[in-house]
Amino acid sequence: MSKIWVVIKSEYLQVVKKKSFLIGIFLIPALMAAMGPLMVLLASNSAGSTQYLAVVDQSGESVGQEFKSALERYKLDDGETHAYEIIGIIEVLPGDSAAFVSTVDSLTKALNDEEIKYFMLFRQGIEEADSNMALVTNSESFRTISRFEKVISRIAATMRLEKSNINLGIDSVLALTQRVNLPRRDAQGDSVNFDTKWGISMIFVMLIYFVIIGYGQVIMRSVIEEKASRIMEVLVSSITPFQLLLGKVFGLGGATLTQLLIWILMGAGLYFGSGAFATAINPGIAKIVFNPVVITFFCLFQVFGYLLFATLFALVGSIVNSEKEAQIFVAPVSILLAVSFAIGILIIQEPNSTMARTLSMIPIFAPTLMMMRIIFVAPSVTEYSFFSGILGEAILSFVLLLVATFFVIWLSSRIFRIGILMYGKRPTLPEIIKWVRY
Amino acid sequence: MHLELENIRKVYDQKVAVDRLSLSVPRGVIYGIIGPNGAGKTTTIRMIMNIIAPDSGRVMFDGKKADISFLERVGYLPEERGLYKKMTLRQVITYMAELKGCPRKTTAGRISPWLEKMGLIEYIDQKVEELSKGMQQKLQFITTIIHEPDIIILDELFSGLDPINVELIKGILMDLKREGKTILFSTHVMEQAEKLCDNICMILDGKKVLDGKIGDIKSRFGKNALQVEIEGDGSFIKQLPGVANLTEFNNYLEINLVDKTDPQSILRQMIEKVKVRRFELAEPSLYEIFISTAKLDPKELENQAGEAGV
């Protein structure tokens, strides 16, 4: 036991004393802070400048003119400049198909030359069938389409109303068919903000991911170094390979804990130390971040997710001879993590679906998927049960992760003790399986 | 501590690396394992150090099966050298000693005297990677003995060291021996083994061919070796009656005689043809014993020594 402690201490100090450790402590939060506004910018998807378009109006009822005046209410961010500028409404008589075709041809050319971004075609009877109109463009934008659809729906509704016998003003009819915007509350009675949860879960999961990948590679490199420099021979005549493996994994694990602790202290210091920061922080964010279930499981999944993957990285280090060779093995481990990220984005649409529940129980996915689900569900629940609900599931998922971690450590130590003394040829899979049994 | 090997055997794929080797290394002696490259020296040492397990046979310390607690009392210098490059000298010595169960405080008092002795004291707080290769070897030697082990095992200790450092380390080994430490080292350079060892064990193709005190071995081979210095072409000597074999160095010859040959008759025949400057009846050198036992071509052995950079 005391030998493990010697290795833990040495590995810990080697990492913590490095400048890169100190830089990482400040750089990673800084990078994430910088990424926040960038994401907002991307999400807002705002068009920076006025978009030009043309209209071919064959409706015979001045639909083009109405479309133009309806679009005027969309402004750019400055609140003044029009978002859309119609450079021309070309009216064609309903029967004149030759003129229609030639107009469309010249507008298509203008579109290809990027003089205009869109052109709208209105034929007769847009209130009867959607096929009587079309939007032509080479660059679709979700927002533009939804705006155009909204505007044209209203024009068509007006036209239908005029042709019917209902004696009501258009505004009162539209008021009757007003779309509702469903207000949402959680069990605690607070309104729910999907974006906030999404942002926080991304930050937490990214922290877990960076720590696992970063420190995992550090362990792998240190094993490769000891193997290449043959220090390993002296090491294994002083301590058992199992002690060495555990010492390394726990030593670096201590470094990750130190980093986490510093971050938590930094955050707490900022929150309690500066009144301005505390008031500036969104209550929705505070509700999630300061939830005991979220904090507890963040720490547990961080630590044990790290242990699981770090052991795998150490294992990779023990069976290869150089860092270059290691890349072949690192790829699947990294892909596993990346895949869990991608799955996370999908299942978060429905965090309590059967698929989400099942996948978040699988140990290699648990640190990311279960963490996301906890962030989405746990802060809103009024009552926790150890055997059911989100807390029960989190505990089960964690226990499975724990079992898997010990299994991987056991398996790795079997392979590790032989791998670290094998030089030259990289072992084949059947050979590795033989080592486990030996 | 008394080290014993009992019939250890190791087979790699089809090749027998070590074949039923038994060895008894008493306390307080310098024991040399000699043999050409590929004879099985390093494999034997790795089995002693529990780095690889023998296919059969046992390694015993004081009559008990070797385990980590015994290995703590052993210092081991592997053939291929290496240390943590990013640590300082002080850190690396402390860490290696700690892994062998030697507390930091105890080590702290030993570091400076050793670095002083090795001429490395000025680098104590510099990183290992800043040292030259030869200095790193000396540092690794310190890490091998810093925990004051009872048995010191050195694989090809002198390879890559210059003559001054070879002398320095030889002196230290003699000191350690006087302190009652057992030293086991492997080499393919016979002159070193001859000067340093009390006992030797010669391995060839994984098998022990000779084992015992150097004096005993030499007297067993008898005083039938001639050391001769001549001027002129000595190639005829090989054909003289009574000459078993002959090793030729530039102007110096070592001649093994067939038993009961009269050296005087050899001398008589020689002075008829060449000028003899020195003629001495001596014990055979370890080198000669090695050659005659291994029935190796001496040129081949010299090539090997050359390749190993000695």
Side-chain angles (χ1 to χ4, degrees):
Chain A
M1 194 61 212
S2 68
K3 292 279 183 72
I4 298 185
W5 186 239
V6 171
V7 181
I8 290 177
K9 219 165 40 180
S10 167
E11 295 286 335
Y12 175 81
L13 289 175
Q14 272 190 73
V15 168
V16 173
K17 278 185 181 168
K18 270 192 198 148
K19 281 187 208 89
S20 55
F21 181 74
L22 203 65
I23 295 169
I25 282 184
F26 294 101
L27 195 66
I28 292 176
L31 270 179
M32 294 219 232
M35 255 153 71
L38 187 73
M39 280 182 161
V40 170
L41 201 72
L42 286 174
S44 71
N45 188 27
S46 67
S49 57
T50 305
Q51 298 179 16
Y52 296 97
L53 62 148
V55 175
V56 182
D57 187 357
Q58 209 183 12
S59 67
E61 294 179 70
S62 303
V63 171
Q65 207 47 247
E66 285 172 53
F67 181 61
K68 184 180 178 174
S69 48
L71 279 186
E72 275 169 11
R73 64 190 168 107
Y74 294 115
K75 302 277 168 41
L76 290 183
D77 289 343
D78 63 8
E80 283 177 22
T81 323
H82 288 298
Y84 304 98
E85 186 74 53
I86 294 183
I87 57 164
I89 299 171
I90 302 148
E91 299 207 1
V92 180
L93 288 178
D96 195 347
S97 60
F100 183 79
V101 169
S102 72
T103 312
V104 168
D105 280 351
S106 61
L107 286 177
T108 306
K109 194 176 172 300
L111 190 74
N112 287 333
D113 293 345
E114 295 186 10
E115 288 163 23
I116 53 174
K117 208 166 174 199
Y118 311 97
F119 65 88
M120 261 320 290
L121 299 175
F122 293 115
R123 291 175 187 260
Q124 234 176 341
I126 64 156
E127 76 281 15
E128 284 158 15
D130 290 349
S131 56
N132 287 329
M133 57 189 157
L135 172 70
V136 184
T137 181
N138 291 333
S139 55
E140 265 185 88
S141 134
F142 272 121
R143 191 158 61 157
T144 297
I145 289 166
S146 84
R147 282 171 173 179
F148 284 11
E149 280 175 346
K150 199 169 167 189
V151 165
I152 297 167
S153 298
R154 196 181 159 114
I155 296 170
T158 315
M159 288 164 74
R160 284 183 209 117
L161 202 63
E162 279 166 0
K163 284 174 189 166
S164 71
N165 295 321
I166 301 166
N167 195 13
L168 274 174
I170 177 71
D171 289 331
S172 17
V173 172
L174 288 177
L176 283 174
T177 58
Q178 178 79 50
R179 253 183 85 130
V180 298
N181 195 353
L182 190 65
R184 286 153 289 172
R185 299 217 187 293
D186 62 22
Q188 297 175 357
D190 296 323
S191 63
V192 178
N193 185 345
F194 182 87
D195 293 346
T196 310
K197 286 185 172 176
W198 174 241
I200 292 174
S201 71
M202 276 330 261
I203 288 175
F204 276 44
V205 168
M206 254 155 44
L207 273 180
I208 292 176
Y209 178 84
F210 282 135
V211 166
I212 287 176
I213 289 278
Y215 284 94
Q217 305 244 24
V218 172
I219 286 205
M220 189 185 76
R221 253 179 257 134
S222 94
V223 175
I224 293 173
E225 189 206 343
E226 282 167 345
K227 213 180 142 176
S229 66
R230 305 295 197 264
I231 303 171
M232 205 55 105
E233 288 192 21
V234 181
L235 291 182
V236 295
S237 61
S238 313
I239 54 173
T240 64
F242 186 66
Q243 287 174 322
L244 181 66
L245 177 69
L246 283 192
K248 279 181 168 305
V249 171
F250 286 137
L252 282 170
T256 69
L257 277 182
T258 308
Q259 197 163 19
L260 272 182
L261 202 70
I262 293 174
W263 282 338
I264 289 172
L265 288 178
M266 268 161 63
L270 213 55
Y271 184 73
F272 295 110
S274 149
F277 184 78
T279 46
I281 195 170
N282 178 322
I285 294 175
K287 179 180 167 177
I288 299 169
V289 174
F290 297 116
N291 180 286
V293 177
V294 172
I295 292 181
T296 310
F297 279 94
F298 173 64
C299 293
L300 289 177
F301 281 122
Q302 172 76 80
V303 170
F304 284 86
Y306 157 81
L307 285 180
L308 178 70
F309 280 94
T311 312
L312 285 175
F313 274 111
L315 176 66
V316 170
S318 77
I319 55 179
V320 298
N321 297 298
S322 66
E323 279 194 42
K324 215 170 145 191
E325 233 179 85
Q327 293 315 315
I328 308 163
F329 289 89
V330 170
V333 182
S334 310
I335 287 170
L336 270 182
L337 280 168
V339 163
S340 66
F341 241 124
I343 296 175
I345 292 168
L346 291 176
I347 68 162
I348 223 61
Q349 310 291 335
E350 200 70 65
N352 276 337
S353 66
T354 312
M355 186 169 89
R357 282 169 200 250
T358 314
L359 288 175
S360 62
M361 290 296 158
I362 299 173
I364 46 169
F365 295 144
T368 41
L369 298 189
M370 198 67 209
M371 199 58 230
M372 281 178 143
R373 289 191 55 219
I374 290 171
I375 289 170
F376 267 81
V377 182
S380 307
V381 176
T382 45
E383 234 174 279
Y384 293 117
S385 157
F386 285 113
F387 303 105
S388 62
I390 188 70
L391 181 61
E393 285 174 26
I395 290 171
L396 178 60
S397 161
F398 173 69
V399 169
L400 291 177
L401 175 65
L402 204 65
V403 172
T405 304
F406 281 111
F407 174 72
V408 167
I409 289 176
W410 172 82
L411 186 77
S412 296
S413 73
R414 314 271 313 162
I415 299 170
F416 189 79
R417 79 210 150 109
I418 299 174
I420 50 177
L421 295 165
M422 286 283 163
Y423 310 120
K425 194 172 79 68
R426 202 175 60 225
T428 59
L429 193 63
E431 278 172 320
I432 292 175
I433 293 167
K434 212 171 81 189
W435 296 351
V436 175
R437 294 207 186 129
Y438 171 72
Chain B
M1 215 167 30
H2 183 88
L3 168 66
E4 262 177 304
L5 310 186
E6 278 181 18
N7 276 315
I8 55 167
R9 182 181 159 90
K10 183 75 194 174
V11 182
Y12 288 123
D13 290 331
Q14 307 284 309
K15 192 184 175 298
V16 181
V18 175
D19 196 8
R20 290 189 199 83
L21 180 71
S22 293
L23 201 62
S24 174
V25 183
R27 243 192 91 131
V29 300
I30 301 186
Y31 214 109
I33 298 183
I34 59 175
N37 291 349
K41 302 187 295 283
T42 297
T43 305
T44 304
I45 288 178
R46 284 187 176 167
M47 284 191 278
I48 298 174
M49 292 315 294
N50 200 22
I51 292 166
I52 47 178
D55 296 335
S56 62
R58 289 190 300 179
V59 177
M60 317 269 277
F61 288 101
D62 284 345
K64 287 187 191 116
K65 201 167 178 302
D67 64 18
I68 289 279
S69 67
F70 281 106
L71 288 174
E72 277 187 1
R73 291 153 64 195
V74 178
Y76 168 51
L77 181 78
E79 184 181 7
E80 286 184 72
R81 311 289 147 74
L83 287 167
Y84 293 98
K85 293 198 162 43
K86 300 282 174 198
M87 286 191 186
T88 66
L89 273 58
R90 192 197 299 273
Q91 283 170 339
V92 84
I93 296 173
T94 310
Y95 183 49
M96 297 315 258
E98 234 180 335
L99 285 176
K100 286 287 189 184
C102 183
R104 296 178 85 91
K105 272 185 195 155
T106 317
T107 312
R110 293 179 190 164
I111 292 178
S112 292
W114 273 114
L115 287 176
E116 195 91 57
K117 213 182 257 187
M118 290 288 186
L120 296 172
I121 189 72
E122 57 197 295
Y123 306 103
I124 186 164
D125 287 313
Q126 288 187 24
K127 284 186 178 164
V128 173
E129 61 189 353
E130 292 166 35
L131 298 185
S132 74
K133 216 174 161 195
M135 290 175 175
Q136 288 189 21
Q137 288 223 45
K138 288 197 281 180
L139 174 63
Q140 189 159 8
F141 181 75
I142 299 177
T143 64
T144 307
I145 54 173
I146 190 74
H147 59 291
E148 297 189 348
D150 297 331
I151 299 182
I152 299 158
I153 297 179
L154 310 159
D155 200 356
E156 295 289 354
L157 167 66
F158 297 112
S159 71
L161 282 179
D162 62 36
I164 297 168
N165 285 317
V166 168
E167 287 312 310
L168 176 70
I169 295 208
K170 272 184 191 167
I172 292 170
L173 291 182
M174 296 313 289
D175 290 345
L176 289 168
K177 185 198 157 183
R178 269 190 287 274
E179 288 168 25
K181 314 283 187 201
T182 309
I183 296 157
L184 180 73
F185 79 95
S186 79
T187 184
H188 59 266
V189 185
M190 303 306 143
E191 290 78 10
Q192 286 169 355
E194 183 156 19
K195 283 181 202 153
L196 259 176
C197 296
D198 303 303
N199 292 44
I200 57 148
C201 162
M202 189 187 292
I203 304 181
L204 254 183
D205 291 331
K207 288 193 185 76
K208 183 166 85 175
V209 289
L210 271 180
D211 184 14
K213 286 192 177 132
I214 286 206
D216 294 353
I217 290 174
K218 282 193 174 177
S219 56
R220 204 189 316 152
F221 274 73
K223 274 208 175 198
N224 57 0
L226 289 175
Q227 293 182 349
V228 179
E229 265 179 59
I230 53 165
E231 269 173 38
D233 183 12
S235 55
F236 68 94
I237 299 170
K238 214 179 291 179
Q239 273 82 44
L240 294 178
V243 172
N245 63 52
L246 174 140
T247 319
E248 212 175 335
F249 306 88
N250 217 2
N251 287 323
Y252 166 75
L253 306 171
E254 282 191 358
I255 305 167
N256 273 352
L257 299 178
V258 179
D259 275 352
K260 288 174 188 149
T261 305
D262 180 12
Q264 297 301 320
S265 74
I266 303 283
L267 177 62
R268 237 174 281 131
Q269 292 175 73
M270 277 168 67
I271 45 179
E272 280 171 18
K273 296 196 175 160
V274 291
K275 189 175 175 192
V276 178
R277 289 210 301 222
R278 182 161 80 96
F279 186 88
E280 190 181 333
L281 191 59
E283 284 186 329
S285 69
L286 202 51
Y287 184 81
E288 272 180 286
I289 294 172
F290 182 70
I291 298 293
S292 63
T293 311
K295 301 209 167 49
L296 274 179
D297 179 359
K299 293 234 168 59
E300 196 181 308
L301 195 76
E302 290 202 343
N303 286 344
Q304 286 187 0
E307 278 163 27
V310 179

